[in-house]
Amino acid sequence: MALLEVNGLGKRFGGLAAVNDVTFSVAGGEILSIIGPNGAGKSTLFKLISSFLRPSAGRVIFEGRDITAQAPHRVARLGIVRTFQETTIFREMTALDNVVVAHHLRARASLGGFYFATRRARRDEAKFRKSAREILGSLGLGEVAGQRARSLPHGHLRALGIAIAMATAPKILLLDEPFAGMNPEETDACVAMVRGIRRRGVTVLLVEHDMRAVMRISDRIVVLNFGRKIAEGRPAEVRENPAVIEAYLGRPDDELGA
């Protein structure tokens, strides 16, 4: 059984169909990328899967359960966690404290317990700090754990955003353009990081424009154009698909990482 199923998903904004009858599935342990030209509907699709938008049609099934249009925090608790582009980072806090705070979705102690430092809250805090250090280390951020987020370079900030998401113990992680704005060295490090996330048992679904990185990292790729799915398959299959080449203005070498 697929971990995640998207069945006939659609979203209309007035007369505009931003996403139109999109169907695909994601297997556990897979890295699946969603690509397409600007305006293809990729970000809207992400918001539908993570319940930040209510679909106009279709269903989202997670672990055999219909989660369509549930509240975003409930979907996150089930294990579908979406990263944002640096908007979830507290820049005056250290990298470590950012990740510790993110663990509180899993806290057993109450808010009052943390305020009064009850025994359960102290146990949670110690466990969260240990886990946060492990996550930062696994993402190559161990050496900057004590630095304030505002002092970190772009690549480290992106990694920290992923570390924050990992603190919630996701089953499937939705990465929103993780390679955007990176130089080649940062991209290589981020590719290795995403593979490391998969090795930790987390399934990865990502939206990305860096086609060279996508072709290197993906098990399968779903291609959108004008809100519709026009192709799906392994990187080599997608790269040679005539509909995909046409959607990318007929420039397979430049656009598709060939």
Short mmCIF file of all heavy atoms in Angstrom, two decimals, residues 48-84:
data_model
loop_
_atom_site.label_atom_id
_atom_site.label_comp_id
_atom_site.label_asym_id
_atom_site.label_seq_id
_atom_site.Cartn_x
_atom_site.Cartn_y
_atom_site.Cartn_z
N LEU A 48 -2.35 21.78 -0.78
CA LEU A 48 -3.50 20.86 -0.69
C LEU A 48 -3.13 19.61 0.09
O LEU A 48 -3.90 19.14 0.94
CB LEU A 48 -3.98 20.49 -2.10
CG LEU A 48 -4.58 21.62 -2.93
CD1 LEU A 48 -4.80 21.16 -4.37
CD2 LEU A 48 -5.89 22.10 -2.32
N ILE A 49 -1.96 19.05 -0.19
CA ILE A 49 -1.54 17.83 0.49
C ILE A 49 -1.36 18.06 1.99
O ILE A 49 -1.73 17.22 2.82
CB ILE A 49 -0.24 17.29 -0.14
CG1 ILE A 49 -0.50 16.81 -1.57
CG2 ILE A 49 0.35 16.15 0.70
CD1 ILE A 49 0.76 16.48 -2.35
N SER A 50 -0.80 19.22 2.34
CA SER A 50 -0.54 19.53 3.75
C SER A 50 -1.72 20.22 4.43
O SER A 50 -1.62 20.64 5.59
CB SER A 50 0.71 20.39 3.89
OG SER A 50 0.63 21.56 3.08
N SER A 51 -2.85 20.36 3.72
CA SER A 51 -4.10 20.91 4.25
C SER A 51 -4.05 22.40 4.53
O SER A 51 -4.88 22.91 5.29
CB SER A 51 -4.56 20.15 5.50
OG SER A 51 -5.26 18.99 5.14
N PHE A 52 -3.11 23.12 3.94
CA PHE A 52 -3.12 24.57 4.06
C PHE A 52 -4.14 25.19 3.10
O PHE A 52 -4.48 26.36 3.23
CB PHE A 52 -1.73 25.14 3.80
CG PHE A 52 -0.81 25.01 4.98
CD1 PHE A 52 -0.10 23.84 5.19
CD2 PHE A 52 -0.67 26.04 5.90
CE1 PHE A 52 0.74 23.69 6.29
CE2 PHE A 52 0.16 25.91 7.00
CZ PHE A 52 0.87 24.74 7.19
N LEU A 53 -4.63 24.39 2.15
CA LEU A 53 -5.73 24.78 1.29
C LEU A 53 -6.74 23.64 1.26
O LEU A 53 -6.36 22.46 1.33
CB LEU A 53 -5.25 25.05 -0.14
CG LEU A 53 -4.57 26.38 -0.46
CD1 LEU A 53 -4.12 26.39 -1.91
CD2 LEU A 53 -5.50 27.56 -0.19
N ARG A 54 -8.00 23.98 1.11
CA ARG A 54 -9.06 22.98 0.98
C ARG A 54 -9.28 22.69 -0.52
O ARG A 54 -9.47 23.63 -1.30
CB ARG A 54 -10.36 23.48 1.62
CG ARG A 54 -11.50 22.47 1.58
CD ARG A 54 -12.74 23.06 2.24
NE ARG A 54 -12.52 23.28 3.65
CZ ARG A 54 -12.76 22.37 4.60
NH1 ARG A 54 -13.22 21.18 4.27
NH2 ARG A 54 -12.54 22.66 5.88
N PRO A 55 -9.26 21.44 -0.94
CA PRO A 55 -9.41 21.15 -2.37
C PRO A 55 -10.83 21.39 -2.86
O PRO A 55 -11.80 21.30 -2.10
CB PRO A 55 -9.05 19.65 -2.46
CG PRO A 55 -9.34 19.11 -1.10
CD PRO A 55 -9.03 20.22 -0.14
N SER A 56 -10.93 21.71 -4.15
CA SER A 56 -12.23 21.82 -4.79
C SER A 56 -12.74 20.46 -5.23
O SER A 56 -13.96 20.27 -5.40
CB SER A 56 -12.13 22.74 -6.01
OG SER A 56 -11.60 24.00 -5.66
N ALA A 57 -11.81 19.52 -5.42
CA ALA A 57 -12.18 18.17 -5.84
C ALA A 57 -11.07 17.21 -5.42
O ALA A 57 -9.92 17.61 -5.22
CB ALA A 57 -12.38 18.11 -7.36
N GLY A 58 -11.42 15.94 -5.31
CA GLY A 58 -10.43 14.90 -5.05
C GLY A 58 -10.16 14.65 -3.58
O GLY A 58 -10.76 15.29 -2.69
N ARG A 59 -9.26 13.70 -3.33
CA ARG A 59 -8.97 13.27 -1.97
C ARG A 59 -7.48 13.09 -1.76
O ARG A 59 -6.73 12.80 -2.70
CB ARG A 59 -9.67 11.94 -1.65
CG ARG A 59 -11.19 11.98 -1.73
CD ARG A 59 -11.79 10.70 -1.18
NE ARG A 59 -11.27 9.53 -1.89
CZ ARG A 59 -11.30 8.29 -1.39
NH1 ARG A 59 -11.80 8.06 -0.19
NH2 ARG A 59 -10.84 7.28 -2.10
N VAL A 60 -7.05 13.23 -0.51
CA VAL A 60 -5.69 12.90 -0.08
C VAL A 60 -5.80 11.77 0.94
O VAL A 60 -6.49 11.91 1.95
CB VAL A 60 -4.99 14.12 0.55
CG1 VAL A 60 -3.58 13.75 1.00
CG2 VAL A 60 -4.93 15.29 -0.43
N ILE A 61 -5.12 10.67 0.66
CA ILE A 61 -5.15 9.48 1.51
C ILE A 61 -3.75 9.26 2.08
O ILE A 61 -2.78 9.18 1.32
CB ILE A 61 -5.59 8.23 0.74
CG1 ILE A 61 -6.88 8.49 -0.05
CG2 ILE A 61 -5.75 7.04 1.69
CD1 ILE A 61 -8.08 8.79 0.81
N PHE A 62 -3.65 9.17 3.41
CA PHE A 62 -2.37 8.95 4.07
C PHE A 62 -2.47 7.71 4.95
O PHE A 62 -3.34 7.64 5.82
CB PHE A 62 -1.99 10.17 4.90
CG PHE A 62 -0.67 10.05 5.60
CD1 PHE A 62 0.51 9.90 4.88
CD2 PHE A 62 -0.59 10.08 6.98
CE1 PHE A 62 1.73 9.77 5.52
CE2 PHE A 62 0.62 9.98 7.64
CZ PHE A 62 1.79 9.82 6.90
N GLU A 63 -1.61 6.75 4.68
CA GLU A 63 -1.63 5.47 5.40
C GLU A 63 -3.02 4.85 5.40
O GLU A 63 -3.49 4.31 6.40
CB GLU A 63 -1.12 5.65 6.83
CG GLU A 63 0.35 6.05 6.91
CD GLU A 63 0.88 6.10 8.32
OE1 GLU A 63 0.17 6.65 9.21
OE2 GLU A 63 1.99 5.59 8.56
N GLY A 64 -3.70 4.95 4.26
CA GLY A 64 -5.02 4.36 4.10
C GLY A 64 -6.16 5.16 4.70
O GLY A 64 -7.32 4.73 4.65
N ARG A 65 -5.87 6.35 5.21
CA ARG A 65 -6.86 7.18 5.89
C ARG A 65 -7.11 8.44 5.09
O ARG A 65 -6.17 9.12 4.68
CB ARG A 65 -6.35 7.53 7.29
CG ARG A 65 -7.21 8.50 8.06
CD ARG A 65 -6.58 8.76 9.42
NE ARG A 65 -7.32 9.73 10.20
CZ ARG A 65 -6.97 10.12 11.43
NH1 ARG A 65 -5.90 9.61 12.00
NH2 ARG A 65 -7.70 11.01 12.08
N ASP A 66 -8.37 8.77 4.90
CA ASP A 66 -8.74 9.99 4.18
C ASP A 66 -8.49 11.20 5.09
O ASP A 66 -9.13 11.35 6.13
CB ASP A 66 -10.21 9.94 3.77
CG ASP A 66 -10.59 11.05 2.80
OD1 ASP A 66 -9.88 12.08 2.76
OD2 ASP A 66 -11.60 10.90 2.09
N ILE A 67 -7.52 12.04 4.70
CA ILE A 67 -7.18 13.21 5.51
C ILE A 67 -7.55 14.51 4.79
O ILE A 67 -7.11 15.59 5.19
CB ILE A 67 -5.69 13.23 5.89
CG1 ILE A 67 -4.83 13.33 4.62
CG2 ILE A 67 -5.32 12.01 6.71
CD1 ILE A 67 -3.38 13.71 4.91
N THR A 68 -8.36 14.40 3.75
CA THR A 68 -8.70 15.57 2.94
C THR A 68 -9.27 16.69 3.79
O THR A 68 -10.23 16.50 4.55
CB THR A 68 -9.72 15.18 1.86
OG1 THR A 68 -9.25 14.03 1.17
CG2 THR A 68 -9.93 16.32 0.87
N ALA A 69 -8.64 17.86 3.70
CA ALA A 69 -9.13 19.09 4.33
C ALA A 69 -9.15 19.03 5.86
O ALA A 69 -9.85 19.82 6.50
CB ALA A 69 -10.52 19.45 3.80
N GLN A 70 -8.42 18.11 6.48
CA GLN A 70 -8.24 18.19 7.92
C GLN A 70 -7.40 19.42 8.27
O GLN A 70 -6.70 19.96 7.44
CB GLN A 70 -7.56 16.93 8.46
CG GLN A 70 -8.45 15.70 8.48
CD GLN A 70 -7.93 14.64 9.42
OE1 GLN A 70 -7.13 14.91 10.31
NE2 GLN A 70 -8.38 13.41 9.21
N ALA A 71 -7.45 19.84 9.52
CA ALA A 71 -6.68 20.99 9.95
C ALA A 71 -5.19 20.72 9.77
O ALA A 71 -4.73 19.59 10.00
CB ALA A 71 -6.98 21.31 11.41
N PRO A 72 -4.40 21.73 9.35
CA PRO A 72 -2.97 21.50 9.11
C PRO A 72 -2.23 20.91 10.30
O PRO A 72 -1.36 20.05 10.14
CB PRO A 72 -2.46 22.90 8.77
CG PRO A 72 -3.64 23.62 8.21
CD PRO A 72 -4.81 23.09 8.98
N HIS A 73 -2.57 21.36 11.54
CA HIS A 73 -1.84 20.83 12.68
C HIS A 73 -2.17 19.36 12.92
O HIS A 73 -1.33 18.59 13.40
CB HIS A 73 -2.14 21.66 13.94
CG HIS A 73 -3.51 21.48 14.50
ND1 HIS A 73 -4.61 22.17 14.03
CD2 HIS A 73 -3.97 20.68 15.51
CE1 HIS A 73 -5.68 21.81 14.72
NE2 HIS A 73 -5.32 20.90 15.62
N ARG A 74 -3.38 18.93 12.56
CA ARG A 74 -3.73 17.51 12.70
C ARG A 74 -2.97 16.67 11.67
O ARG A 74 -2.51 15.57 11.97
CB ARG A 74 -5.23 17.32 12.53
CG ARG A 74 -6.06 17.95 13.65
CD ARG A 74 -7.53 17.61 13.50
NE ARG A 74 -8.32 18.23 14.55
CZ ARG A 74 -8.50 17.71 15.76
NH1 ARG A 74 -7.92 16.55 16.06
NH2 ARG A 74 -9.23 18.34 16.66
N VAL A 75 -2.84 17.20 10.47
CA VAL A 75 -2.09 16.50 9.42
C VAL A 75 -0.62 16.39 9.83
O VAL A 75 0.01 15.35 9.64
CB VAL A 75 -2.25 17.24 8.07
CG1 VAL A 75 -1.30 16.67 7.02
CG2 VAL A 75 -3.69 17.14 7.59
N ALA A 76 -0.08 17.46 10.42
CA ALA A 76 1.31 17.42 10.88
C ALA A 76 1.49 16.37 11.98
O ALA A 76 2.49 15.64 12.00
CB ALA A 76 1.74 18.79 11.39
N ARG A 77 0.53 16.28 12.89
CA ARG A 77 0.63 15.28 13.95
C ARG A 77 0.57 13.86 13.41
O ARG A 77 1.17 12.94 13.97
CB ARG A 77 -0.49 15.49 14.99
CG ARG A 77 -0.23 16.67 15.93
CD ARG A 77 -1.29 16.73 17.01
NE ARG A 77 -1.07 17.85 17.91
CZ ARG A 77 -0.25 17.83 18.96
NH1 ARG A 77 0.42 16.72 19.22
NH2 ARG A 77 -0.12 18.88 19.74
N LEU A 78 -0.16 13.67 12.30
CA LEU A 78 -0.21 12.35 11.67
C LEU A 78 1.11 11.98 11.02
O LEU A 78 1.40 10.79 10.84
CB LEU A 78 -1.33 12.30 10.63
CG LEU A 78 -2.76 12.33 11.17
CD1 LEU A 78 -3.75 12.46 10.02
CD2 LEU A 78 -3.05 11.07 11.99
N GLY A 79 1.92 13.00 10.65
CA GLY A 79 3.23 12.71 10.09
C GLY A 79 3.54 13.34 8.75
O GLY A 79 4.59 13.06 8.17
N ILE A 80 2.67 14.21 8.24
CA ILE A 80 2.94 14.94 7.00
C ILE A 80 3.38 16.35 7.38
O ILE A 80 2.58 17.15 7.86
CB ILE A 80 1.71 15.01 6.07
CG1 ILE A 80 1.27 13.62 5.67
CG2 ILE A 80 2.03 15.83 4.82
CD1 ILE A 80 0.03 13.61 4.79
N VAL A 81 4.66 16.64 7.19
CA VAL A 81 5.23 17.91 7.64
C VAL A 81 5.83 18.64 6.45
O VAL A 81 6.59 18.05 5.67
CB VAL A 81 6.29 17.68 8.73
CG1 VAL A 81 6.91 19.00 9.15
CG2 VAL A 81 5.67 16.98 9.94
N ARG A 82 5.52 19.92 6.35
CA ARG A 82 5.99 20.73 5.23
C ARG A 82 7.01 21.74 5.72
O ARG A 82 6.83 22.36 6.77
CB ARG A 82 4.79 21.46 4.62
CG ARG A 82 5.17 22.39 3.48
CD ARG A 82 3.97 23.21 3.06
NE ARG A 82 4.35 24.24 2.10
CZ ARG A 82 3.62 25.30 1.82
NH1 ARG A 82 2.48 25.49 2.45
NH2 ARG A 82 4.03 26.18 0.94
N THR A 83 8.09 21.91 4.98
CA THR A 83 9.05 22.96 5.29
C THR A 83 8.65 24.24 4.57
O THR A 83 7.98 24.21 3.53
CB THR A 83 10.48 22.60 4.87
OG1 THR A 83 10.52 22.39 3.44
CG2 THR A 83 10.97 21.33 5.57
N PHE A 84 9.08 25.36 5.13
CA PHE A 84 8.87 26.66 4.53
C PHE A 84 10.24 27.30 4.29
O PHE A 84 11.25 26.86 4.84
CB PHE A 84 8.03 27.55 5.43
CG PHE A 84 6.64 27.02 5.66
CD1 PHE A 84 6.40 26.13 6.70
CD2 PHE A 84 5.60 27.39 4.84
CE1 PHE A 84 5.12 25.63 6.91
CE2 PHE A 84 4.32 26.89 5.04
CZ PHE A 84 4.09 26.02 6.09
#
